[in-house]
Amino acid sequence: MKYALVTGSSRGIGRAVALKLAQDGFPVIVNCLSNIDAAASLVAEIDAAGGKAELLQFDVSDPEAIEAALESWAQAHPEDYVDILVNNAGIRRDNLMIFMQNDEWHSVLDTTLNGFFYLTRRLLKDMLTHRHGRVINISSLSGLKGLPGQVNYSAAKAALIGATRALSQEVAQRKVTVNAVCPGFIESDMTAGLDRDELKKLVPMRRFGRADEVADLVAFLASDSAAYITGQAISINGGLY
Ligand code: NAP
């Protein structure tokens, strides 16, 4: 069976993506860092709706934890593989560059960029062997234009776009596509502390996006209809650049 793995799917965009992929008929692996209860309730919700889901907790920035979790998953699933990987887990630790601490820099890059590297490298082999796969990386508007106060986050998200474009060319012949999705302001815990009323004024559509709108785009990229789209960074931002 072909599984979809969505990192950071206990909340926000990842949760909406996992739900949508489950509705589209894919068995889903739900992942989180520490919010096990939220992730478990998503698994229960998908099961109750007639879908198939399981929980695999690991820290995407920890290569040993990834290896241990995926090795035990593979042992329990000898006939299955991950065909759709959504690298969604991300954090922001905003600060002006002049005040930025090493930990603020490293934690953001470790989660977004190193997490992409460890996990994708681990799962790519199966996709190449099966001559089919989808890697969808959740980047950001910050990775395209850079945002002040987010030098760490912008660097990580821009690097993710570069990695997307490079990897897409390495694996295209094997029918594995690699794309990035670049959301603008989306309603989630990540943006809960921001002044939404002020920020909305910057958006031509005058509103934040919803996680389910991002999920629809990700689900399209995961589908057979998107087989000829690869190496792209696709914005979903209400017209904000
Ligand atoms: P969120 O609501 O803060 O959720 C973050 C998710 O990532 C949670 O499920 C969290 O798990 C998980 N996570 C964090 N660090 C992790 C780690 N080391 N290992 C495994 N899981 C980890 O964020 P969101 O707004 O949905 O954002 C999702 C993605 O979209 C991120 O990559 C973000 O940068 C990107 N994005 C968001 C926006 C926006 O406006 N919201 C805009 C552009 C891009 P726990 O629940 O266990 O903590």
Side-chain angles (χ1 to χ4, degrees), residues 203-224:
V203 184
M205 285 193 182
R206 297 288 184 269
R207 69 172 178 89
F208 276 30
R210 298 189 315 271
D212 63 282
E213 292 175 311
V214 181
D216 284 344
L217 172 57
V218 172
F220 170 68
L221 291 172
S223 73
D224 287 341

Side-chain angles (χ1 to χ4, degrees), residues 8 10-11 13 33-35 59-60 88 153 157 184 186 188 191:
S10 48
R11 296 183 278 131
I13 293 171
L33 177 61
S34 55
N35 223 325
D59 179 346
V60 297
N88 166 79
Y153 186 85
K157 294 299 191 181
I186 307 297
S188 77
T191 52

Side-chain angles (χ1 to χ4, degrees), residues 91 100-111 114 152:
I91 55 168
M100 191 170 284
Q101 302 299 306
N102 290 351
D103 173 54
E104 291 169 330
W105 173 263
H106 287 298
S107 59
V108 169
L109 269 89
D110 280 350
T111 305
N114 295 344
N152 50 358

Side-chain angles (χ1 to χ4, degrees), residues 36-240:
I36 304 273
D37 288 350
S41 89
L42 175 60
V43 169
E45 187 177 331
I46 292 172
D47 283 345
K52 192 168 161 49
E54 51 196 90
L55 171 56
L56 205 58
Q57 185 276 333
F58 57 83
D59 179 346
V60 297
S61 69
D62 180 346
E64 277 145 31
I66 290 174
E67 192 53 41
L70 289 178
E71 190 49 41
S72 77
W73 186 84
Q75 302 267 336
H77 293 263
E79 304 295 323
D80 306 327
Y81 81 104
V82 174
D83 180 58
I84 299 168
L85 169 61
V86 184
N87 288 304
N88 166 79
I91 55 168
R92 65 181 183 89
R93 301 276 303 276
D94 298 354
N95 209 342
L96 293 175
M97 174 85 170
I98 196 162
F99 301 123
M100 191 170 284
Q101 302 299 306
N102 290 351
D103 173 54
E104 291 169 330
W105 173 263
H106 287 298
S107 59
V108 169
L109 269 89
D110 280 350
T111 305
T112 287
L113 189 58
N114 295 344
F116 152 81
F117 172 66
Y118 298 138
L119 200 55
T120 310
R121 181 183 57 180
R122 175 66 170 75
L123 294 173
L124 207 51
K125 215 182 299 164
D126 274 344
M127 296 185 199
L128 295 173
T129 306
H130 288 88
R131 292 179 178 268
H132 192 276
R134 296 279 186 269
V135 179
I136 300 159
N137 299 318
I138 308 300
S139 178
S140 171
L141 174 66
S142 306
L144 291 170
K145 66 173 274 185
L147 286 180
Q150 292 198 320
V151 170
N152 50 358
Y153 186 85
S154 301
K157 294 299 191 181
L160 197 54
I161 293 171
T164 298
R165 296 199 197 284
L167 178 61
S168 69
Q169 296 170 67
E170 291 186 7
V171 298
Q173 266 191 321
R174 296 279 181 127
K175 299 192 177 95
V176 177
T177 67
V178 188
N179 289 292
V181 166
C182 302
F185 292 119
I186 307 297
E187 289 171 14
S188 77
D189 290 349
M190 189 175 271
T191 52
L194 304 179
D195 186 344
R196 286 191 185 171
D197 288 336
E198 274 308 304
L199 291 171
K200 271 195 311 206
K201 295 179 190 158
L202 304 173
V203 184
M205 285 193 182
R206 297 288 184 269
R207 69 172 178 89
F208 276 30
R210 298 189 315 271
D212 63 282
E213 292 175 311
V214 181
D216 284 344
L217 172 57
V218 172
F220 170 68
L221 291 172
S223 73
D224 287 341
S225 303
Y228 202 54
I229 300 173
T230 197
Q232 302 304 306
I234 301 173
S235 290
I236 173 161
N237 59 21
L240 176 65

